Amino acid sequence: TKTIYAILKEIKENKLVQYENDDAKFSQAVKTSLMLLTEGVVVAPVDGLPEVKISENLDKSKYVDLYFAGPIRAAGGTAAVFPLILGHYASVLMGLDVYKPTDTEVERYVEENKIYHQITSRQYKAKDDDVRHIIKNCPVCINGEGTESEEVEIYRNVRGVKTNKVRGGAMVVMNEGLGLKSEKLMKFAKGLNLDWSWLSRFIKVKDHAGKREIKPINGYMEG
């Protein structure tokens, strides 16, 4: 991971190549880091994360927008959610703000999550309040392409969302990704001096003869 973070800084400072704009620089930084993480054996940075851009909150501040096309499969599964940490770290290096979703944007995820689990047989499902907690607290936007034929009915044409179709990749990252990798993400974040303590909601700690055991909260994953 030290190599990955070093590469992020090199790209940010234009030491490797000059980029046309910040979007291009940011996209290259995150995708190159993800390629290193997956050791170049999968097409995750190209197919699983087709777009990385800098978008604007209502208050005109800038935030990181990550577009997931589908499940990012790699050894250990970490690559599915690692772009969130990479995006946040890169945003700090570039002086960007965090994602500040409106209530309408948050509720779009809630509606979308319900539809997604009606049309798929995924094992893990986030509850409505957990979805709200994730979207309101995640410093980067878990966005995505419309991968399903089904569309939302209530929260349509929402700001910052390019499609009314269900975004399967974003749903997988939000549910199974964050649910199963919360502990690992918190460790990565802590090592970079990033505050991801909001994920502690999805982790339980047990003491066994003086030893601490950390496990995912089953209630979150069972829905």
Side-chain angles (χ1 to χ4, degrees):
T1 56
K2 289 183 178 179
T3 301
I4 292 174
Y5 301 137
I7 289 293
L8 273 174
K9 290 184 178 181
E10 293 281 312
I11 293 175
K12 179 260 182 182
E13 296 170 1
N14 291 316
K15 290 184 177 181
L16 300 180
V17 66
Q18 292 292 324
Y19 295 94
E20 295 181 0
N21 52 53
D22 284 343
D23 273 350
K25 181 193 298 183
F26 207 96
S27 179
Q28 188 65 63
V30 175
K31 290 187 177 184
T32 298
S33 299
L34 185 55
M35 182 67 75
L36 289 172
L37 178 71
T38 58
E39 298 180 345
V41 297
V42 295
V43 293
V46 178
D47 290 349
L49 191 67
E51 186 174 8
V52 178
K53 60 183 293 186
I54 298 174
S55 296
E56 191 173 86
N57 289 305
L58 283 180
D59 64 4
K60 305 302 180 181
S61 60
K62 307 291 185 180
Y63 67 90
V64 178
D65 219 348
L66 300 176
Y67 284 79
F68 294 91
I72 295 181
R73 296 182 175 86
T78 307
V81 287
F82 201 63
L84 302 179
I85 292 291
L86 294 175
H88 187 199
Y89 185 62
S91 72
V92 171
L93 292 179
M94 295 181 67
L96 303 181
D97 208 332
V98 297
Y99 175 47
K100 303 172 184 177
T102 63
D103 290 340
T104 298
E105 290 170 57
V106 173
E107 293 306 314
R108 160 63 191 258
Y109 284 92
V110 175
E111 180 186 4
E112 202 169 352
N113 190 55
K114 291 179 180 178
I115 297 174
Y116 181 70
H117 287 283
Q118 289 174 355
I119 62 178
T120 63
S121 58
R122 291 283 175 182
Q123 182 177 1
Y124 307 118
K125 177 183 178 182
K127 297 178 180 178
D128 290 356
D129 284 343
D130 288 327
V131 172
R132 295 185 179 100
H133 179 77
I134 289 170
I135 302 306
K136 289 180 180 179
N137 288 279
C138 189
V140 300
C141 181
I142 306 172
N143 215 324
E145 298 182 344
T147 60
E148 314 300 322
S149 59
E150 288 77 4
E151 298 186 356
V152 294
E153 297 181 358
I154 302 174
Y155 293 95
R156 300 174 63 83
N157 305 318
V158 173
R159 185 189 73 90
V161 182
K162 296 180 178 180
T163 178
N164 287 319
K165 292 183 177 181
V166 173
R167 299 166 291 174
M171 296 300 103
V172 170
V173 169
M174 187 176 66
N175 285 273
E176 298 179 353
L178 288 172
L180 293 175
K181 299 298 179 179
S182 292
E183 180 190 356
K184 182 170 289 187
L185 280 176
M186 287 181 69
K187 287 181 178 179
F188 279 135
K190 185 177 181 180
L192 295 171
N193 294 318
L194 300 175
D195 183 11
W196 279 60
S197 58
W198 56 275
L199 280 177
S200 60
R201 176 189 182 113
F202 308 121
I203 299 174
K204 63 182 179 182
V205 179
K206 287 186 176 181
D207 288 322
H208 297 284
K211 295 184 178 180
R212 291 166 61 85
E213 180 182 5
I214 301 177
K215 293 183 177 180
I217 295 177
N218 292 329
Y220 164 65
M221 295 186 289
E222 292 169 357

